Amino acid sequence: MVRPPRSNEVLPAPSTPTYTLAHIGFSYGDRALNKDKDFGRAHRYDSIPIVNGIIRAGAACSRFQYDPTDPERMERELSKFDGYIVRINPGQLSNPGVVDGAQQVFDNLMEKFRVQNKPVWSSPLVQKTMGAKDALVKIKHLSCGLPDTNCYYDATSFEEGFRRTAAYQPRVLKRNRGSAGEGVWLVWLVSRPYCDRLGDRTLEDDDVLELMEMCDNHVERHTVKEFMSFCVGGAESEGAGKWETNHPGGFFKCNSADASDSSSKNKNTTQVHVVDQRLLPRIREGEVRLLLVRDQLHQIIHKKPVEGGMSAVGTLIESPTFYEPDCAEYCDLRTKFIEEDLPKLKDALGVDNQPLPLIWTADFIPMDDENEGEGEVDEKYESDLQNIPSKDERKSKKTRWVVGEFNCSCVGLSAFLAAANGGRLDDVSDVDYARGMRLCDVMGEHVVKALDERKKETGKDAS
């Protein structure tokens, strides 16, 4: 397929566009708060390519800057569009200095358009539901989930549950929101052996834990009492001890994103919570990311942690390896998730009346499927993560892939990263530009396809 020549500016709209779309962005504050923006600090670094992908698919698309100080005008101006590409992270409109209640006003407006049968990618509910860590609880019955995933919505149940699970096996704790490993802790009991069966005992205050924070792979040791004080009251609370992390702790305290969630009357919105899962030893092999456009798999990326680490985020990975969606290496993962789990995913998450995100990712961790088809979770898992079996040693065992995280809130198009943090699209190499536009063109095709489907279902024009 011969693709159009490169363009570093928004292309002219088609003379007779099939539909009109709005790419909605928002910026506030200085450059430090807008590292995802291009040189003008008004739009995300990947906004021009996304808009051009939609234009190249035959629709008109405008970059729209949302102004929270005049919501009535915003509604009037946005109502003329047929669909919306939302590139504002949840909670960004709740940052200090932004008009009070702006996030909820915006969310309500997007929901109003969705009820009018205008697609919103991604809708506020989908962003909050898929982006929150308790999504892992909602999918635990799917083949990509862990059946023994726990979730705590208050400090009392958290302390009781964690003391029980962490006495039995190594754990992973994930606060309800965060990115790049922030608020994610790996936990090992080091003061005494694990118990043989879940529930045989619970951790005491003076038991010692080894903790690794996934945002930077640093390790700390603390007593259970110190860790509970950190998680509940915060790093500066009485009894928390001295911490090296930059994270403030206080997992059940609200931040800006949580505030917008808790103010909503929708029963499906996110509550502050902590997810508690068993630690899978093969995490040292890295994560495998599926990059999807709606229900179409676009790319597979293997992210391996740097030597000695366990986190596959940001700069903590070796050079990622990219695979085509039909590659033989991940045939089992692709077949199981795309064909078996994906058709059930929206229903499992409670968003069956919402469109799938336009662009989203699912990160998978490998594990040995030692109980194929049985779903048993009582078996004790080894805690020694230094002795990961080789591929040859695992030939007789089938690998099962478990979702560690979904991301559908402003998934960045990494091919255009040279334009971020005040850069320009001109700074992107021709090779990266071509690779990135391949994805943008697919996104554009799916936008038009979705609107065509809506038009067919409703039996009337999109307008």
Side-chain angles (χ1 to χ4, degrees), residues 155-401:
T156 301
S157 62
F158 163 66
E159 184 161 354
E160 179 182 340
F162 172 75
R163 285 176 182 265
R164 184 170 176 262
T165 58
Y168 171 59
Q169 61 189 185
R171 308 300 293 177
V172 182
L173 294 183
K174 302 177 180 182
R175 191 184 184 280
N176 63 298
R177 288 201 177 276
S179 60
E182 180 189 18
V184 179
W185 291 89
L186 310 188
V187 184
W188 297 268
L189 173 63
V190 295
S191 55
R192 54 173 165 165
Y194 289 102
C195 59
D196 291 328
R197 291 185 302 274
L198 180 64
D200 276 358
R201 70 164 183 265
T202 61
L203 295 181
E204 303 293 338
D205 279 351
D206 59 355
D207 279 322
V208 179
L209 304 172
E210 185 164 289
L211 309 159
M212 176 182 284
E213 189 173 15
M214 294 298 275
C215 63
D216 59 6
N217 283 329
H218 91 276
V219 176
E220 303 190 33
R221 284 201 177 196
H222 292 277
T223 64
V224 170
K225 181 179 180 180
E226 289 173 338
F227 188 49
M228 292 296 95
S229 297
F230 170 83
C231 293
V232 175
E236 302 299 324
S237 65
E238 182 178 355
K242 185 178 180 180
W243 286 78
E244 299 173 24
T245 177
N246 291 322
H247 194 283
F251 290 170
F252 295 94
K253 298 179 180 179
C254 287
N255 58 24
S256 59
D258 303 324
S260 68
D261 295 341
S262 61
S263 65
S264 173
K265 296 180 180 179
N266 191 312
K267 65 180 181 179
N268 290 319
T269 52
T270 306
Q271 301 175 37
V272 179
H273 61 263
V274 173
V275 167
D276 173 12
Q277 291 185 304
R278 86 176 79 135
L279 174 57
L280 302 178
R282 289 178 60 184
I283 192 174
R284 283 191 181 276
E285 299 172 29
E287 296 179 352
V288 174
R289 168 168 287 186
L290 301 189
L291 174 64
L292 299 102
V293 179
R294 294 177 74 214
D295 59 356
Q296 178 182 330
L297 178 60
H298 180 78
Q299 191 176 56
I300 302 174
I301 307 111
H302 178 233
K303 304 182 295 177
K304 188 177 186 304
V306 294
E307 188 66 30
M310 298 180 69
S311 178
V313 299
T315 60
L316 301 178
I317 63 172
E318 297 178 358
S319 296
T321 305
F322 298 91
Y323 297 88
E324 291 299 312
D326 59 351
C327 70
E329 288 87 345
Y330 295 106
C331 177
D332 289 344
L333 166 60
R334 176 180 63 249
T335 301
K336 199 75 171 176
F337 183 70
I338 301 299
E339 297 183 9
E340 182 175 326
D341 286 340
L342 186 54
K344 307 172 185 176
L345 184 61
K346 290 201 298 179
D347 183 62
L349 294 172
V351 293
D352 51 302
N353 64 339
Q354 305 275 335
L356 278 171
L358 179 58
I359 179 170
W360 59 290
T361 65
D363 292 340
F364 292 81
I365 301 168
M367 65 175 288
D368 290 332
D369 195 357
E370 298 177 350
N371 301 300
E372 286 185 41
E374 298 177 10
E376 298 294 336
V377 297
D378 292 332
E379 183 172 344
K380 186 172 186 302
Y381 282 74
E382 296 296 328
S383 61
D384 182 6
L385 299 182
Q386 302 299 323
N387 299 308
I388 304 301
S390 67
K391 289 183 179 179
D392 289 339
E393 292 172 319
R394 290 199 310 272
K395 278 184 177 179
S396 62
K397 293 184 178 181
K398 184 177 180 181
T399 293
R400 187 158 78 86
W401 294 93

Side-chain angles (χ1 to χ4, degrees), residues 101-171:
Q103 184 72 59
Q104 193 58 49
V105 170
F106 177 80
D107 291 354
N108 290 343
L109 179 58
M110 292 301 106
E111 177 62 13
K112 181 177 182 178
F113 289 146
R114 189 199 65 78
V115 170
Q116 294 172 358
N117 207 21
K118 294 183 176 184
V120 178
W121 293 288
S122 295
S123 72
L125 180 57
V126 167
Q127 289 192 39
K128 293 170 185 175
T129 302
M130 293 187 71
K133 297 300 187 290
D134 64 354
L136 303 178
V137 179
K138 297 172 183 177
I139 65 163
K140 67 180 184 179
H141 63 286
L142 301 182
S143 67
C144 62
L146 276 179
D148 55 335
T149 300
N150 304 313
C151 189
Y152 313 111
Y153 293 91
D154 61 79
T156 301
S157 62
F158 163 66
E159 184 161 354
E160 179 182 340
F162 172 75
R163 285 176 182 265
R164 184 170 176 262
T165 58
Y168 171 59
Q169 61 189 185
R171 308 300 293 177

